[in-house]
Structures are given as C-alpha cells and as structure tokens.
C-alpha cells in the first residue's frame, strides 16, 4: 500500500474515533448495572462496592445495607452521596430503586447468596456478625474513626497493643476482660456503637463471643 493511501486511512480512522462520544476529552461512559437481576449481589457489585464501600465498609454486607437502606436511598436520590464524587447515574439509581421496591432481597429467587456465619469465636463469624454491621461505619480506612481501623483481622491484630487514655490495651490477650475494646462496648454513658448511629449495641452473646475470640488470640 502506498504512503498516501496509508496516510488517508489513518486520517479517516482518527476522525471516526473523534466522532465517538466515548473518546471525548473529559467524558466517561456512564456506568450501568452489571446485572439485571433484582438481588443484593447486583446492586453490591454495580453500586456499593465501587461507589460506597471505600467510606462505608459495612455496605459490603447485605445486613449492613439493609439496616441503613432508607438513609442510603435518601442520600443517593438527593445526590448527597457518594460524597466528593459524581452522583450515581440515572441507570444506577433506577437499578437501586427497583431492588428496594422489590423488598431488597438477598437473591432474586428468595435464596441467600451471602453466607451467614453462626456466632463463634473465629474471624469470619466475628467479622460477619459484629465488625461489619456494627463497627465499620466509622472504623474503616476512610471513616470518621480511621485512626482505629477495624476492617481486617490484620489491622486489628496490629493495633492490639495500642494503649489508650485509661492505660489499657485495645486487646489484652492475657486478660481479655481487661481489653479497652470491651470497656467502650460496655460503657453505660458513651457506648460503642454510639447511640446516634442507630446501630444496635452488642448483645450478651456477641460480647461473650468477642471476649472468647480475644482469649483465644484472635483466630
């Protein structure tokens, strides 16, 4: 092929690309739902994971989203959330609203995709039953209490010997009941989770299981 023909072909290709909206400078194709299924996995993957979990770690779980759903929809519909980011596209809002209107099911067929862990003194259960639904709203890498990241077992383990104003360690592996974490959970005046979050406090069984987990060395 001669050079003039090659040059002409390149020009046509360039003009074709420039006429494609997806190549316009500063513009990105709007994200859409990754699935048409009306179930949590769909809205999780299309909305919560890419747009919310960075600040709201609890939204990685069905329970964390379901508990705060009215506040979530209000913030999304009014474009108050995501914070410091572009609002959700009309397609994503429509997908979320469709899921909510269907009763916010875990799975479209009524089953459960999200594994539920029996309350036990091991990490998966501690995370799924306590940390994710009751702590991650603040204690995540981008949260209001990011100074104490509880989002992973490793971050908790790394902070175990941090000493607080009371002189107690976050987690006392030699004397679990003496752990600062348990003190703030049981604090009658300023307990954790804080009352203003409307997150239920840990019940007796959860506190006992958390204590046992600390006694066992955070398995």
């Amino acid at each position: 092929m001669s050079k003039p023909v090659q040059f002409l072909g390149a020009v046509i290709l360039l003009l074709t690309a420039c006429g494609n909206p997806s190549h316009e400078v500063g513009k990105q194709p709007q994200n859409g739902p990754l699935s048409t299924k009306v179930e949590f996995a769909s809205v999780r993957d299309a909305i919560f994971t890419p747009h919310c979990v960075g600040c709201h770690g609890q939204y990685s779980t069905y329970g964390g989203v379901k508990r705060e759903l009215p506040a979530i929809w209000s913030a999304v519909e009014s474009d108050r959330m995501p914070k410091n980011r572009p609002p959700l596209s009309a397609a994503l809002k429509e997908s979320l609203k469709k899921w909510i209107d269907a009763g916010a099911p875990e799975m479209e067929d009524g089953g459960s995709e999200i594994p539920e862990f029996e309350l036990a003194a091991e990490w998966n259960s501690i995370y799924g039953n306590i940390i994710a639904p009751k702590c991650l709203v603040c204690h995540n890498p981008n949260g209001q209490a990011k100074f104490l990241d509880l989002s992973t077992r490793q971050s908790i383990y790394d902070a175990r010997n941090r000493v607080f104003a009371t002189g107690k360690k976050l987690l006392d592996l030699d004397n679990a009941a003496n752990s600062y974490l348990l003190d703030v959970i049981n604090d009658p005046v300023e307990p954790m989770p804080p009352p203003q979050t409307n997150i239920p406090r840990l019940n007796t069984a959860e506190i006992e299981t958390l204590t046992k987990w600390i006694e066992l060395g955070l398995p």
Side-chain angles (χ1 to χ4, degrees):
M1 184 182 295
S2 66
K3 288 186 178 180
V5 173
Q6 287 179 331
F7 176 75
L8 180 60
V11 170
I12 293 173
L13 182 61
L14 178 61
L15 291 175
T16 303
C18 289
N20 187 333
S22 65
H23 291 276
E24 290 181 26
V25 177
K27 291 188 177 182
Q28 296 291 335
Q30 286 203 331
N31 291 328
L34 299 183
S35 170
T36 58
K37 287 187 175 181
V38 184
E39 61 183 19
F40 176 65
S42 176
V43 293
R44 179 197 62 204
D45 294 344
I47 299 171
F48 295 110
T49 298
H51 299 283
C52 310
V53 169
C55 293
H56 301 275
Q58 73 275 25
Y59 294 169
S60 64
T61 69
Y62 175 74
V65 169
K66 189 69 180 290
R67 186 185 60 250
E68 301 181 34
L69 202 49
I72 290 172
W73 176 246
S74 175
V76 167
E77 185 181 32
S78 63
D79 293 336
R80 289 186 287 109
M81 291 292 173
K83 192 173 184 179
N84 299 323
R85 300 182 65 178
L88 296 186
S89 68
L92 288 181
K93 287 183 181 179
E94 181 181 354
S95 180
L96 180 59
K97 186 65 165 59
K98 183 178 179 181
W99 178 66
I100 294 171
D101 289 345
E106 285 191 61
M107 292 194 73
E108 194 170 50
D109 61 4
S112 177
E113 181 211 44
I114 313 301
E116 294 188 6
F117 297 98
E118 181 181 351
L119 191 58
E122 54 87 25
W123 171 247
N124 284 335
S125 177
I126 293 295
Y127 181 85
N129 292 300
I130 299 174
I131 302 295
K134 300 189 176 184
C135 306
L136 287 191
V137 65
C138 295
H139 293 277
N140 67 76
N142 299 300
Q144 190 173 8
K146 60 186 177 182
F147 64 88
L148 182 57
D149 177 16
L150 302 180
S151 61
T152 67
R153 180 191 174 278
Q154 188 62 51
S155 64
I156 294 172
Y157 183 81
D158 290 344
R160 70 193 185 284
N161 290 323
R162 186 182 301 180
V163 178
F164 290 80
T166 60
K168 292 186 176 183
K169 297 178 182 178
L170 176 67
L171 303 176
D172 191 329
L173 302 188
D174 296 320
N175 181 10
N178 196 48
S179 298
Y180 176 77
L181 180 62
L182 296 177
D183 281 357
V184 296
I185 287 172
N186 291 306
D187 192 310
V189 179
E190 296 182 350
M192 292 291 169
Q196 63 268 26
T197 64
N198 294 318
I199 298 173
R201 294 184 63 180
L202 274 69
N203 59 39
T204 300
E206 289 169 338
I207 293 174
E208 289 176 351
T209 303
L210 182 61
T211 303
K212 184 66 175 179
W213 182 62
I214 298 170
E215 288 176 351
L216 295 174
L218 318 183

